[in-house]
Amino acid sequence: GEEVAQTPKHLVRGEGQKAKLYCAPIKGHSYVFWYQQVLKNEFKFLISFQNENVFDETGMPKERFSAKCLPNSPCSLEIQATKLEDSAVYFCASSPSLPDRSTDTQYFGPGTRLTVL
Amino acid sequence: GNSVTQMEGPVTLSEEAFLTINCTYTATGYPSLFWYVQYPGEGLQLLLKATKADDKGSNKGFEATYRKETTSFHLEKGSVQVSDSAVYFCALSPFSGGYNKLIFGAGTRLAVHP
């Protein structure tokens, strides 16, 4: 598709439950990113993929967070045993693989709002 | 390390006023710089970008110039409209290529009144 799609739009979980979020990147884009937007608008980078391979996971809290991008499937971000502080909007973005840096851009999806009660 | 600092909001303006939102950055190497806009309840949209020193990005009446000497990328618009009310994020990508993570400033909320 021509837009990054994210599902679900809203997700409510009780503390300790699992949450799974999905992202379909723009067709033909090789790179997928996950960002977390918490209160006061702060964006935090979590992880990125080049196709199905992890490219950069320096922002990922590895104890409870995991992510995958498998061929012919939406990418996913999973949080095991959610905590109150995981409440945030999770954005996915995708980017083409272009040699010309003047055209490189990340395109963002509409986000998934996760509320942990 | 790499970081972005934006002026704190909210910024409240009357319609047709001049807008400046300050953004400064710290980076090693030669980053690309971006302004993204987030309208209420929506995701981020790229507003403009610049990939090298002295480049000017522009879109929808907004402009920003990549100033390496002052490590700044201030956003300006000559005459704002009510529809410009949104949160504006300055961001940098540390290295060339769209495969690099973005580092965002804290965002500046703009409210434009008729």
Side-chain angles (χ1 to χ4, degrees):
Chain A
E2 293 299 317
E3 293 181 341
V4 176
Q6 289 188 249
T7 55
K9 192 169 182 178
H10 300 282
L11 189 59
V12 179
R13 288 289 180 267
E15 204 170 8
Q17 290 185 317
K18 184 173 72 175
K20 195 165 185 178
L21 292 62
Y22 297 92
C23 167
I26 293 172
K27 192 175 180 182
H29 283 194
S30 304
Y31 292 91
V32 172
F33 305 79
W34 285 99
Y35 295 89
Q36 179 194 53
Q37 185 181 30
V38 295
L39 289 177
K40 293 192 177 179
N41 298 319
E42 180 187 342
F43 274 88
K44 179 189 172 187
F45 167 77
L46 295 175
I47 190 169
S48 62
F49 288 82
Q50 179 184 15
N51 298 312
E52 62 268 24
N53 304 307
V54 174
F55 186 77
D56 181 351
E57 57 181 349
T58 52
M60 200 68 158
K62 292 182 184 175
E63 319 80 65
R64 297 180 298 107
F65 284 62
S66 63
K68 292 179 187 177
C69 277
L70 299 175
N72 303 313
S73 296
C75 296
S76 63
L77 176 69
E78 188 167 340
I79 309 172
Q80 301 285 344
T82 52
K83 295 184 178 181
L84 295 177
E85 63 258 34
D86 298 333
S87 294
V89 182
Y90 292 83
F91 286 98
C92 175
S94 71
S95 175
S97 175
L98 298 174
D100 180 2
R101 68 178 293 180
S102 68
T103 55
D104 62 2
T105 297
Q106 290 184 28
Y107 297 85
F108 282 76
T112 293
R113 181 176 295 278
L114 172 65
T115 302
V116 181
L117 302 175
Chain B
N2 299 301
S3 65
V4 176
T5 303
Q6 284 181 242
M7 62 186 287
E8 285 193 28
V11 173
T12 304
L13 295 173
S14 298
E15 206 166 21
E16 298 184 1
F18 184 84
L19 169 71
T20 300
I21 300 178
N22 290 338
C23 171
T24 57
Y25 68 90
T26 302
T28 53
Y30 303 95
S32 293
L33 300 173
F34 305 82
W35 278 100
Y36 278 84
V37 58
Q38 186 177 30
Y39 297 102
E42 298 185 11
L44 288 176
Q45 299 177 25
L46 178 66
L47 183 59
L48 53 84
K49 68 178 186 181
T51 57
K52 61 183 188 295
D54 300 325
D55 268 3
K56 178 187 279 188
S58 61
N59 186 27
K60 298 181 182 179
F62 291 90
E63 291 183 341
T65 301
Y66 187 141
R67 300 282 188 206
K68 193 169 187 295
E69 64 275 13
T70 55
T71 61
S72 64
F73 193 55
H74 303 322
L75 182 69
E76 296 182 336
K77 187 175 186 183
S79 176
V80 293
Q81 306 299 313
V82 172
S83 57
D84 294 327
S85 298
V87 182
Y88 292 81
F89 293 90
C90 185
L92 71 81
S93 178
F95 305 106
S96 63
Y99 47 83
N100 291 289
K101 64 185 178 187
L102 290 170
I103 295 165
F104 287 90
T108 302
R109 183 175 299 278
L110 170 65
V112 181
H113 299 290

